[in-house]
Amino acid sequence: MFQNWILPDDKMQSTIKELLDALGCSLEADTVLDYIQNDPNYGNNNLSSKQVNEYAQRLALKASNAKAFLKKYDDLKNKNTDNLSDIIVLFYKLVCDEKRSRIQKPKVAPKPILGDNKHQITKEDLPQIKDKLLKAVDESKKLVMKSFEEKESKLRPNWYNSLDLPNWQKDHPAMSWDFPKEPVAIIASLAGIPIASQENIIIDELLYIFSGIPGNYIVHQPVKDTFDPRTFLIADDLDDALKQIVQQMLPLASNYSIVRRFIEHCNMWSGQVLHALVSAIEILLKDYYTMIAQLETEHMSGNLSLQKLWYFVLPTMHTMHVLAAIVTNIGKSELRGGAVLTVLHDKTSTLMGDGRAQEISLFLTERACRPYLRILDQWIHKGTIVDPFQEFMIEDNELVNREELPVDYSADYWEKRYSIQRERVPKFLDKFTDIILRTGKYLNVISQCGKSIAKTNTEDIQYSLREQNYSAIIQKAYAFASKSLLELLLKEYDLMGRLKSVKNYFLMSQGDFIVQFMDATEQELSKKIDDIIPSKLESLLGLCLRLSAASHDPYNEDMRVELLPYDLQFQMFKILSIETEDEKEYKQNKDCPPLTGIETFSFGMEVKWPVSLILNHKAIACYQMIFRHLFYCKHIERLLCRVWLYNKVVKRFSEARLYADAFALRQRMLSCIQHLQYYMCVEVLEPSWCQLIQSLDKVNNVDEVLERHNDFLESCLGDCMLTSPQLLKAVTTLCLVCVQFCTFIQEMHKYFVDAELNSMLGSTYDNTDYSEGAGCGTATSGSSDSFASSVSRYGRRFTAALLSMLAIIESMARDNNTNKLLNISARLNFNTYYVKQLEKFCSDDRLLKGEKKQVTS
């Protein structure tokens, strides 16, 4: 098999090494070279530059530094590096595809063997069973801890795993400020010691216990869970009165132990909010340690009794109890980020009656909020998120290189790039979540357009129990961002001009262009879709754009031709069947006859950023469906007008009366199609468009523009009879009957002329050449009944289709009296009555007495 080369040269090796360094993965250059030499498909990837760019973008998501990798890729691409596309594709296979293909078997803890089921378990088996159970539980715990560590490591950024951080608690347990994990026994006795001396000894013990240091007569007990209260053992020979006072003060040591365990439990990956909270707690503990030092000084000077100690630590006990309650709630629930702030805010709000406790809780909340509010300030004033620990309420699903993204990127950008994580929203910001999201999104779009953003407000957001303090700042930032982006779209990127261009082409407002285009492409679009040459349609489109009034449109160069692989009815049914029982039926277009260009043709439009946020992939698809409906009706009108030209020739024949029914049926069809077009263009699209333009003059932000535009499209699709499957099917059937009738008249036209010539030449003319046409419905005396019956059959089918459509319209109108479909129903009902009278009048003998002009008028 052909390959570009067998062994890479020095230049290729350097290219691979540069890309690997920028990628920062575990691959080695030798591994890549081995794959290149052994892969028979290497060098045969005929991919476009856009596809290769997409592979590079996906690789960047796996890199330790995405921007550095993309920069290196762009540099090599600008240097026209040989085989760069093949190397990128190979990297993607090695880094991404192989990781997906590896299926790891779940690790299951080994099941303990409890014994043989064939004999009954005896007392002698119990020790063995106990050992096996304990061993199995121990192994199960190890597996659970390992899976938890693996899950935690996946959440960490790439740079965290590269850090060699010591485990101080494991390697140096004595560095902990909490009690040792191992239990300590009471190693001394107070028997025989006077009560006054016991009091001095116990005061000294308590000062150690308050600092997390075990004593000789008061020792701690180990805890089962990290945030369980700690219990203590007191020497039995301590005086009962002293023991009672000691027991009242020991909760201070227990709460202190809980707070210390919380502080030491927080590691680097705990997040900025928890780090700030720990820092605030350390400030409070500094005052606590100062108090312990002062009490120790009093004790050494002999001025401290147990009663005084109880009096001095009583306020501190309340403070430590509040701290322990807060950290226990946070630690047991394993909260992070905004959830921590919610707990602190609720705690502060519930302590209204306790001034000291509320002051402490408010201090902790204000300090813990600082990093979170810094991220918020950056988001609402710059449109960027700096959140390395995933704590902020808004998650940025970052897409690195916007220019190389798929065509539907603009549609997904607004909905999917930035998403709100409800569990990270602090309770005091819950009311402003939507405004905060919009503000940052607006600024981000502005920055992606290359515009610099200057911070309009120098005041920092600070936490307060009164939301007005930060509400004003958020509202001001939102007003600036929404106004700036809206002005950018309307003025610099001419959104209204873009919408007008869309109306000219997709809603067929540019009449002369549509007529010229249909005249130029009629022959090509009448072919089967496989026989059409798209490049020819593109050239004809460009020619018509230059020769019509569309040449003055500044955006006409963005128009293109699209040939879809399905007709309009199948497309709409496929959309309407989503999440229904009929969805599987429209997964694939099966058993569909070959379509013509008319049935599959549509316009397309290239829309650049940021206007593509409004005219996104979904909006263009809606415009295309409306255009296909109008375009097909226009095509049928042209076919019926061509039949009218044939009828003008036939009316000069001596036997014109035989064709009166065909004339009347053609007129009924033409009038019906024209009424449909008039209804859609004049009564639906134009009023809805005027309403859209008026509403866009009053919008204040881009979200309102999107909402108004989506409402306009939904209204047009519904009123143009595209969203009701039954009504769309009835309209399609009506149009199909018209097309078949036009095809029939077109085929019969040559037989009309031949029959008239035959009657004029008489028996001297040899008509054997046209004898075959007699069986096909020619207008000779022997076949006039056949032609009339065919016309009558088409007339009955058309009437049945029209009545079916009217019945569906009236049924829908009964459900909604304001439905615009009432207008088309009234028009078609009147048209049916008028045409029936015309048919009766045309069948009179006066048509043969030279009164044809009067009837026509």
Side-chain angles (χ1 to χ4, degrees), residues 665 737 744 786-798:
L665 180 58
V737 174
F744 169 74
S786 176
F787 175 76
S789 62
S790 297
V791 173
S792 178
R793 183 174 67 255
Y794 282 113
R796 289 193 300 271
R797 290 178 58 192
F798 176 76

Side-chain angles (χ1 to χ4, degrees), residues 270 313 345 608 780 792:
S270 297
V313 301
H345 175 75
K608 298 180 180 179
T780 61
S792 178

Side-chain angles (χ1 to χ4, degrees), residues 76 123 237 393 460 594 689 768 781:
L76 295 174
K123 290 184 178 180
D237 43 11
M393 67 173 75
D460 294 332
W689 179 265
T768 56
S781 59

Side-chain angles (χ1 to χ4, degrees), residues 537-557:
L537 289 178
E538 290 284 359
S539 60
L540 291 174
L541 172 63
L543 180 63
C544 295
L545 288 171
R546 290 190 296 271
L547 297 180
S548 64
S551 60
H552 301 289
D553 184 3
Y555 307 109
N556 57 12
E557 294 182 358

Side-chain angles (χ1 to χ4, degrees), residues 626-731:
I626 298 174
F627 169 78
R628 296 181 72 183
H629 197 30
L630 295 173
F631 189 75
Y632 195 62
C633 290
K634 190 71 176 177
H635 167 68
I636 296 173
E637 182 188 12
R638 290 167 60 87
L639 292 180
L640 291 170
C641 290
R642 190 171 299 158
V643 170
W644 177 80
L645 294 176
Y646 296 154
N647 292 162
K648 286 187 66 177
V649 178
V650 175
K651 286 179 181 179
R652 297 195 296 267
F653 294 170
S654 59
E655 297 293 335
R657 181 181 179 183
L658 299 175
Y659 311 108
D661 292 340
F663 302 162
L665 180 58
R666 179 262 306 157
Q667 185 60 36
R668 286 180 61 195
M669 291 180 175
L670 181 60
S671 178
C672 178
I673 295 299
Q674 288 176 340
H675 277 306
L676 280 175
Q677 291 187 87
Y678 178 87
Y679 161 73
M680 290 188 289
C681 294
V682 179
E683 297 186 6
V684 174
L685 297 178
E686 192 61 33
S688 299
W689 179 265
C690 294
Q691 186 177 358
L692 172 66
I693 298 302
Q694 292 176 359
S695 63
L696 291 182
D697 292 336
K698 303 176 183 179
V699 297
N700 298 316
N701 54 65
V702 176
D703 283 282
E704 291 184 9
V705 176
L706 284 167
E707 183 180 355
R708 303 291 189 277
H709 189 240
N710 291 334
D711 291 343
F712 164 75
L713 291 176
E714 290 179 5
S715 174
C716 291
L717 287 172
D719 292 333
C720 288
M721 303 172 285
L722 292 175
T723 56
S724 173
Q726 293 181 342
L727 186 55
L728 178 58
K729 189 173 182 180
V731 175

Side-chain angles (χ1 to χ4, degrees), residues 379 383 394-399 402 405-420 433-449 478 481-489 495 609-619 700-710:
W379 170 248
I394 299 171
E395 185 175 24
D396 183 4
N397 306 310
E398 186 177 4
L399 299 170
R402 175 179 49 80
L405 291 172
V407 293
D408 58 347
Y409 165 68
S410 299
D412 292 340
Y413 176 87
W414 205 249
E415 300 294 333
K416 297 181 180 179
R417 171 163 184 182
Y418 296 106
S419 58
I420 297 176
T433 302
D434 187 56
I435 295 178
I436 291 171
L437 175 65
R438 291 183 179 184
T439 303
K441 284 166 64 175
Y442 296 161
L443 295 176
N444 188 268
V445 173
I446 295 174
S447 63
Q448 289 199 30
C449 295
Y478 173 71
S482 59
K483 181 180 178 181
S484 300
L485 180 57
L486 193 60
E487 289 181 352
L488 183 70
L489 285 173
L495 176 61
W609 179 271
V611 181
S612 55
L613 290 174
I614 310 299
L615 295 175
N616 51 47
H617 185 66
K618 297 177 182 178
N700 298 316
N701 54 65
V702 176
D703 283 282
E704 291 184 9
V705 176
L706 284 167
E707 183 180 355
R708 303 291 189 277
H709 189 240
N710 291 334

Side-chain angles (χ1 to χ4, degrees), residues 177 179 202-213 249 252-254 256-257 260 284-301 304 308-310 312-317 320:
W177 285 50
F179 296 96
I202 290 302
I203 291 174
D204 193 56
E205 289 277 303
L206 285 175
L207 292 177
Y208 280 109
I209 292 294
F210 291 159
S211 302
I213 302 172
M249 288 187 285
L252 175 61
S254 177
Y256 167 79
S257 176
R260 283 307 327 176
L284 296 179
L285 290 181
K286 183 180 178 181
D287 295 336
Y288 174 75
Y289 295 137
T290 303
M291 182 201 71
I292 298 295
Q294 291 173 349
L295 291 174
E296 187 177 1
T297 303
E298 287 291 318
H299 176 58
M300 293 177 65
S301 62
L304 186 64
K308 283 186 177 181
L309 179 62
W310 164 248
F312 286 137
V313 301
L314 189 59
T316 307
M317 287 183 65
M320 198 64 68

